[in-house]
Amino acid sequence: APHTPRPAMQSAMCISARAAAVAPTATTRRRPSTGRRNSATTTRCAVVEPSTKVSFPDTLDGSNNLKCIGAGVREKKVAFISVKVYGVAMYVDAAACKAELAAGKSLLDGAFDKALLVQMVRDVDGKTFWEALDEAVSPRIKEIATNMATKEDDEGNFMSEVAEAAEVAEEAAMDECDELKGLFMGQNLTTGAQVVMKWSAGGGGEGGNVLEVGVVGGGAGALRLKSSELAQALFDVYLGSMPISPGALASFKAGADKL
């Protein structure tokens, strides 16, 4: 009977198996990890606001210039019930913030770039959002202007030129408030919509103070405003002595202490 060359087949199979064992597989080629890969993962880390479960990016706009230091929730009383309206996170220039805080400054008056990122957790029309914000901002502008106008010199004398400057500053701040109103009035802030407020208090190349406010994906570009009184009043709403979200401010302070 004819002899079947099984040994040759077995030999070929063994050679093929050995070649497969030696050859690097696709999985093996993809496996090595680098520091660059880990770094990319780190930049995607998020800060989660525990009450709303809103996840905020660790850095703003994918840049390492502004780092998130904490997040909180804005609640509104509706018929004696607290309703969660939006989550809010604060971002700062970490190095500059740390230096300013060490020098005795606060999150509000420290001369470093800072930003607030608001993310809605319920549908709110732009008119309602602005009216609630304006209700908090406008009185603060008037208070800032009053404090400026009543400032005395070293001898305790009233300074008329300071009072006049305060009046001009208040008018400029209120004019820019009208611009903010125009930005929000045509918006529909549905769940997930974001509002960004950035304050560059010590730079920007435009007289030192730049306030940018915009609705992410809202169609209209961000407003660039110059009133330091408006910027101070707007951020005082969240960072001042009577914040609209004490829990958020506590979170911001705790994060700043860890810088």
Side-chain angles (χ1 to χ4, degrees), residues 150-188:
T150 55
K151 187 176 181 180
E152 299 176 343
D153 61 20
D154 294 337
E155 298 178 356
N157 298 316
F158 177 74
M159 297 180 288
S160 60
E161 65 274 13
V162 173
E164 292 173 1
E167 184 178 353
V168 171
E170 181 179 357
E171 290 177 357
M174 296 307 294
D175 286 344
E176 290 193 343
C177 264
D178 288 340
E179 293 188 52
L180 281 179
K181 178 181 179 180
L183 172 69
F184 289 110
M185 290 299 284
Q187 300 288 343
N188 185 22

Side-chain angles (χ1 to χ4, degrees), residues 25-259:
T25 64
T27 302
T28 304
R29 286 194 296 269
R30 294 192 191 103
R31 187 171 298 170
S33 98
T34 65
R36 188 178 305 169
R37 186 185 184 95
N38 291 337
S39 175
T41 302
T42 301
T43 59
R44 291 195 295 269
C45 288
V47 175
V48 178
E49 196 290 305
S51 176
T52 60
K53 308 303 181 186
V54 172
S55 180
F56 292 98
D58 186 56
T59 57
L60 196 60
D61 297 333
S63 165
N64 290 324
N65 294 334
L66 293 177
K67 176 179 175 59
C68 185
I69 57 173
V73 61
R74 166 59 169 148
E75 295 181 328
K76 188 76 173 177
K77 286 281 188 180
V78 178
F80 305 106
I81 299 175
S82 292
V83 177
K84 296 178 179 66
V85 183
Y86 57 76
V88 55
M90 184 176 185
Y91 295 78
V92 300
D93 178 332
C97 176
K98 182 176 181 178
E100 287 287 283
L101 295 180
K105 296 293 186 179
S106 70
L107 290 175
L108 177 61
D109 61 19
F112 54 86
D113 291 354
K114 64 199 75 173
L116 294 166
L117 176 59
V118 167
Q119 181 164 321
M120 309 304 297
V121 295
R122 63 185 300 108
D123 296 348
V124 177
D125 62 84
K127 179 176 180 291
T128 301
F129 182 87
W130 167 247
E131 287 176 348
L133 190 60
D134 184 46
E135 184 179 302
V137 170
S138 289
R140 284 171 165 82
I141 292 176
K142 297 182 185 299
E143 181 180 356
I144 292 169
T146 299
N147 291 338
M148 291 172 58
T150 55
K151 187 176 181 180
E152 299 176 343
D153 61 20
D154 294 337
E155 298 178 356
N157 298 316
F158 177 74
M159 297 180 288
S160 60
E161 65 274 13
V162 173
E164 292 173 1
E167 184 178 353
V168 171
E170 181 179 357
E171 290 177 357
M174 296 307 294
D175 286 344
E176 290 193 343
C177 264
D178 288 340
E179 293 188 52
L180 281 179
K181 178 181 179 180
L183 172 69
F184 289 110
M185 290 299 284
Q187 300 288 343
N188 185 22
L189 303 177
T190 57
T191 300
Q194 294 180 324
V195 177
V196 182
M197 297 171 273
K198 297 180 183 178
W199 184 13
S200 300
E206 299 184 20
N209 187 82
V210 177
L211 173 65
E212 292 186 57
V213 182
V215 178
V216 178
L223 291 177
R224 291 177 61 85
L225 308 168
K226 298 181 181 180
S227 170
S228 60
E229 289 74 28
L230 173 57
Q232 182 181 348
L234 182 59
F235 276 73
D236 185 88
V237 172
Y238 299 91
L239 307 177
S241 59
M242 298 182 65
I244 61 172
S245 176
L249 179 56
S251 176
F252 303 160
K253 287 181 176 180
D257 289 341
K258 297 176 183 177
L259 292 176

